[in-house]
Structures are given as C-alpha cells and as structure tokens.
Amino acid sequence: MIITEYLPSRPHVLWQLCLQMGIRHAIVSAKQERTGLGPPWEMDALRQLQKSFAAGWLTIHGLEGDQFDMNRIKLGVAGRDEDIEHFCQMLRHMGELGIPLLCYNFMAQIGWFRSKTDVPARGGALVSRFDLKEMPAGLTEAGEVPVEQMWENFRYFIQRVMPVAEKAGIQMALHPDDPPLPVLRGIGRLFGTPEGFERAYELAPSPNNGVTFCRANFKLMGADLVKLVRHYAKQKRLFFLHLRDVRGTAECFEEVFHDQAAAELMETLQVSHETGFDGPLRCDHVPTLAGEANDQPGYGTLGRLFADGYIMGLMDVLKIPRE
C-alpha cells in the first residue's frame, strides 16, 4: 500500500518530517488561494505545484477536496457549465502530468463540518465534535435544496466529467458526506449511506468511478465495514483509504486518537490487504497536541506524526508492504 499525507500546498516543515518518517507520496490541494499559483485547471499551475513537491523529494499522488468553488455545480445554478469545463480541463492536465487520483465530494454549501473543535481529550489534547443540537439554526444562503434536486445536480455533473476522467486515466474517488446525515441546514446530502454510493456508480458506470473509504464516516452510517470493503474491492472501486475513528452516532460524535481504535483500524487494513488493495491511504483527523495552536483542527503536525507512526506500526504487524 502507498502511505500518503495530506500536505500543505506550499513548503512546510511537515514535508521534511514526512521524508524522515519514510513517507514520499503527497495528497494536496491545488486551490489557488493555497498554492499562490494560477487556478487548478491551468497546466502551468499544476506543473509548478508538481515541480515544487518534486524539489522537496515528494511525489503528488492525488488532489483532494474542492479545487475551486464547486457550489455552482453542486447547487445546479447558472455558471455550472463553465465550472464543469474547468473541472474537465483540470482532469486532462492531471492525466498529462501523471497525477492519478482525485478525492472529491458532493457536499453543497457546507463541507465537512464540526460544531466544536476544541473538545478536551486524553492528556489535554483537543479533538473535534459534531452535535446536531449545536448546529446553527436556519437555512444557508442557498435556501432549501431537496435531496432529489441534489441527485439531479450530481447526475448532470458526473455524467459529463466521468468520460473525461476515464480518458485521462484519473481515479475519481468519491468521499462520503461528513457528517453522514440526509439533510444539513436544508440542503440534501447524498452520500451518507452505502446505497448512495451504489446510485452514484449506476449513474456513471466506469472503472474510474470509485470510493474514498473514510472508515469513520462509513462506521457512522452503521455499515458492515468488512463487507463493504470486500464489496468495493471486488468491484475494483476501492481507490483510497482514510483511516480514523470516532465514538458516537452520526448525530453526535467525537474524534479519537488512532490508538484508541487500534483493533478497528487493523481490521480495515487487514481486509483491504486480503482483497488485494495496494493503493493509497492516509491518516485523517488527528488531535491537536500540546505546544500547537489549534488553528487547523484535525490537521495539526504533531498529531499526524503520532497517527502515521501508529498506522505504519499496524502495517508492519500485519506484514503489509508499504511504499
């Protein structure tokens, strides 16, 4: 399996720390405000980003998240065709540059969300929490967007971009909704159940239409994780592993340290390995540890050092080769 890290888009101490840990593959954002370069659909911007990481002895394995504001696409409003063309252009350039993976989502207006990001945990570490009761009241500026309208918006998008991704050789790894709830502040959410992922595949059957298996999200769905990993692996749709855990329910949960979910993480790694998965994985959502500002909840540097080391230890115990 390929151990990756979600790295800052500009040179950062975590780049060097990854090399020191033996991690050479990066998942990044090409969002213009993060890179300081041009928009991500421009070849020069992607090429410069790739060269910057290569100069730091790192290889970009994939992009993750919205690479530009996707709300016109997700909400199905005027301007989406222009944005979809930009998205397709980005996929073509990724293919030309040999960046094989795009981890994307279809959460409109509200991305991954936590109601609190400084919950005290073990030893005074800080973790994030979602509690539906703590959500802001009322609708967003997008108003009410029914689930079936969101499905129509997704269909319009995926049926236009998947042929381009297939031709460019890009794995489109769909990430679950976080939290996996059917509606958030009046906006329908599509990918909070395993059934949603089946419908996504039926809308655009393709070997390049796959899944980011974020195990905590699928756990909150109440899914049989072992069965689901085997299912996606059998269909060759298991493209990317996000390894983290939570305690609670989809309506109210907290993140935990990776070692507090050792057996669960080991099970996911073992089943993925048994099914022949040899693709990328990364740790996800770590606690903020002592001595760090909590300005990037879930993505502090020290917490990731702990999580990455722990995951590599589990892989060694399971005798899973790591690249």
Side-chain angles (χ1 to χ4, degrees):
M1 297 182 189
I2 302 169
I3 300 184
T4 72
E5 249 298 356
Y6 184 60
L7 293 178
S9 304
R10 307 188 201 199
H12 186 277
V13 66
L14 192 54
W15 289 23
Q16 186 175 6
L17 291 171
C18 278
L19 293 177
Q20 292 173 353
M21 288 189 289
I23 298 173
R24 297 178 290 106
H25 300 273
I27 302 295
V28 306
S29 170
K31 211 167 186 176
Q32 188 171 11
E33 48 267 46
R34 295 191 181 186
T35 64
L37 303 170
W41 57 83
E42 290 184 355
M43 174 60 97
D44 285 347
L46 283 180
R47 184 183 285 116
Q48 286 181 60
L49 184 64
Q50 187 180 54
K51 285 183 176 179
S52 176
F53 275 84
W57 301 97
L58 293 161
T59 299
I60 297 179
H61 187 87
L63 306 184
E64 182 168 332
D66 287 358
Q67 304 304 308
F68 56 93
D69 188 344
M70 296 269 292
N71 275 307
R72 295 196 298 189
I73 295 173
K74 294 176 183 180
L75 294 171
V77 298
R80 68 173 171 179
D81 288 336
E82 177 186 355
D83 291 344
I84 287 173
E85 180 49 41
H86 285 153
F87 193 97
C88 290
Q89 192 66 19
M90 180 181 70
L91 291 175
R92 295 184 190 102
H93 292 327
M94 287 174 65
E96 291 175 44
L97 293 171
I99 300 172
L101 177 78
L102 177 64
C103 173
Y104 75 106
N105 68 78
F106 213 76
M107 294 178 278
Q109 203 71 15
I110 305 170
W112 76 276
F113 184 85
R114 298 293 182 266
S115 57
K116 200 168 179 59
T117 57
D118 57 354
V119 179
R122 187 174 69 195
L126 301 177
V127 299
S128 66
R129 174 176 75 212
F130 175 80
D131 189 338
L132 189 57
K133 296 175 182 177
E134 297 172 346
M135 277 290 290
L139 304 176
T140 72
E141 61 185 21
E144 190 169 352
V145 188
V147 169
E148 282 308 314
Q149 179 60 55
M150 286 297 301
W151 272 116
E152 173 55 26
N153 299 344
F154 179 75
R155 182 203 64 77
Y156 189 93
F157 163 75
I158 202 67
Q159 290 182 353
R160 283 159 177 76
V161 305
M162 192 55 69
V164 178
E166 189 170 333
K167 186 174 181 180
I170 306 301
Q171 291 183 318
M172 293 275 289
L174 177 58
H175 191 287
D177 295 337
D178 185 5
L181 295 173
V183 178
L184 208 57
R185 295 187 65 191
I187 299 177
R189 311 265 276 192
L190 308 181
F191 301 110
T193 66
E195 291 76 21
F197 283 81
E198 296 310 302
R199 186 169 175 180
Y201 186 73
E202 290 168 3
L203 286 171
S206 167
N208 295 71
N209 187 352
V211 177
T212 295
F213 192 82
C214 185
R215 74 168 309 281
N217 284 124
F218 282 104
K219 174 183 176 180
L220 290 170
M221 296 176 199
D224 183 330
L225 300 188
V226 170
K227 183 178 179 180
L228 210 52
V229 168
R230 292 190 185 282
H231 170 68
Y232 292 142
K234 183 178 180 180
Q235 291 193 332
K236 300 188 184 304
R237 292 166 56 198
L238 185 61
F239 287 172
F240 193 16
L241 294 181
H242 278 193
L243 298 177
R244 65 182 176 95
D245 210 330
V246 293
R247 62 166 68 98
T249 65
E251 292 77 19
C252 184
F253 62 86
E254 288 182 6
E255 307 277 1
V256 300
F257 277 87
H258 282 68
D259 67 301
Q260 293 173 310
E264 292 85 353
L265 294 177
M266 184 173 283
E267 178 183 70
T268 296
L269 283 167
Q270 184 170 19
V271 174
S272 301
H273 180 55
E274 287 174 356
T275 59
F277 176 73
D278 59 0
L281 62 87
R282 75 168 179 87
C283 75
D284 200 8
H285 296 190
V286 301
T288 298
L289 302 187
E292 287 191 298
N294 194 32
D295 55 352
Q296 290 186 306
Y299 287 94
T301 296
L302 297 180
R304 285 198 265 179
L305 297 183
F306 177 82
D308 284 327
Y310 202 85
I311 289 169
M312 287 190 276
L314 292 178
M315 293 177 70
D316 288 346
V317 168
L318 293 168
K319 296 181 169 49
I320 298 175
R322 47 188 171 90
E323 180 181 335

